[in-house]
Amino acid sequence: MNKSGHLALGVALGSAYLSLAPLASTLTLAGFGIGVAAVGIGSLAPDIDHKTSTASKVISPFSPQTRRSLKSAAGVLALIGALLLAVFLNRRFGIGIPFEQAVISLPDGLIGSFPFWLAASVFCLLLTKIRDLVLFGVGAFVLYAWYAYQLHWFFAFLGGALFILPLVRHRGVIHTPEFAICLTLGLWSVASGGSAFVYASALGFIIGWWSHLVGDLFGQEGIHSLVVPRLRVALHLFRNGGPMEKLITRFCWVCSTAIWVIYVVMKSQWVIHAVWQLVR
């Protein structure tokens, strides 16, 4: 499924569950909205293992074309910096360079600026890897916080997952049912003692994550097991972006809208009653 299909399916399933589950009786309209928003985030989150996915673009806004331009700029800057460094070393130590006569008239200020050219080259290269650096950094921070403050085991799981994300392929580890089960157990355990808003957010994220796997299961790619990698299930009911997926996407949004309207009306009965009394 494409992102539009994943989002539509996740929001439809999440809206249905949040409106019908026992939690619905104690959930306010704001809590319901937060839960649905968490479903939307969860339905897109598994694709964070893809460099150009919506989830990854939140971390790194650069398009593939921009990253290629940054790599080219890094190469040019590195070449200029290396040439200036060679001239600097020649003037300082007299090592001899083949183009000495061509650069003999260069000002000292320009020659001495080679560290800035090299640093700019490194900076451009880092920008192309900003997604990986952020994931490494956040993962390491979460792991440190878990160890230093004796946090719930879920934070060790979360930190480890974020830390290895730059190293795994798309539809790899985090697209497996085993990973989803660990995520569900950990997030549910952490959120169970929190407020209704926290619980609704965690529940929504979990529903969104599983809906993503369901969407992949019905498509051509399917999902595979982490324990038995060769065990892959793909139902091939539609292709990504095809007419059937678009039809399912529209149907899901229609269902979601109907659920929202009914839920708002049911939760706002006292408002309707008060307005009716005023009209009478």
Side-chain angles (χ1 to χ4, degrees):
M1 263 189 168
N2 292 333
K3 67 176 182 180
S4 57
H6 281 304
L7 182 62
L9 178 62
V11 170
L13 294 176
S15 299
Y17 185 85
L18 290 173
S19 62
L20 297 175
L23 176 68
S25 60
T26 59
L27 202 60
T28 63
L29 287 176
F32 179 78
I34 291 174
V36 172
V39 171
I41 295 172
S43 66
L44 299 177
D47 277 341
I48 196 173
D49 62 356
H50 194 287
K51 294 181 179 181
T52 60
S53 67
T54 301
S56 291
K57 287 179 181 177
V58 174
I59 304 174
S60 175
F62 301 120
S63 65
Q65 182 178 359
T66 302
R67 288 197 296 271
R68 286 193 294 269
S69 299
L70 286 170
K71 288 181 180 179
S72 299
V76 173
L77 292 169
L79 178 60
I80 296 174
L83 291 175
L84 292 176
L85 174 61
V87 176
F88 174 82
L89 293 175
N90 178 68
R91 289 191 175 182
R92 177 65 63 89
F93 304 106
I95 61 175
I97 54 176
F99 49 87
E100 181 176 359
Q101 294 301 320
V103 299
I104 195 67
S105 60
L106 288 177
D108 293 340
L110 177 60
I111 295 174
S113 67
F114 71 88
F116 299 100
W117 293 91
L118 296 176
S121 174
V122 173
F123 180 72
C124 288
L125 282 178
L126 291 178
L127 287 179
T128 66
K129 299 293 184 181
I130 189 171
R131 168 187 172 273
D132 296 347
L133 293 174
V134 169
L135 290 173
F136 277 135
V138 174
F141 175 79
V142 174
L143 284 172
Y144 171 78
W146 163 76
Y147 175 78
Y149 299 101
Q150 300 297 305
L151 300 179
H152 193 277
W153 66 264
F154 173 71
F155 292 96
F157 170 78
L158 176 62
L162 291 173
F163 192 81
I164 68 171
L165 263 179
L167 307 176
V168 301
R169 60 182 178 84
H170 181 44
R171 302 187 188 280
V173 175
I174 70 171
H175 274 75
T176 61
E178 293 89 343
F179 184 92
I181 290 172
C182 293
L183 177 71
T184 300
L185 294 176
L187 197 54
W188 192 290
S189 177
V190 170
S192 59
S195 64
F197 288 104
V198 173
Y199 186 74
S201 300
L203 184 59
F205 189 86
I206 291 170
I207 294 173
W209 192 281
W210 278 102
S211 73
H212 187 105
L213 298 188
V214 170
D216 285 344
L217 176 67
F218 288 131
Q220 295 176 325
E221 295 82 3
I223 59 175
H224 66 90
S225 170
L226 180 62
V227 178
V228 187
R230 291 186 178 182
L231 179 59
R232 178 180 295 272
V233 180
L235 301 182
H236 300 279
L237 297 182
F238 52 79
R239 61 181 177 84
N240 282 357
M244 181 58 70
E245 181 181 332
K246 293 179 180 178
L247 180 62
I248 294 174
T249 300
R250 295 191 188 99
F251 177 75
C252 287
W253 282 123
V254 170
C255 292
S256 297
T257 303
I259 293 171
W260 297 340
V261 171
I262 295 172
Y263 189 83
V264 170
V265 170
M266 295 297 293
K267 283 292 184 178
S268 305
Q269 283 184 351
W270 67 272
V271 177
I272 298 174
H273 180 72
V275 173
W276 175 251
Q277 292 297 325
L278 289 174
V279 172
R280 292 181 61 187

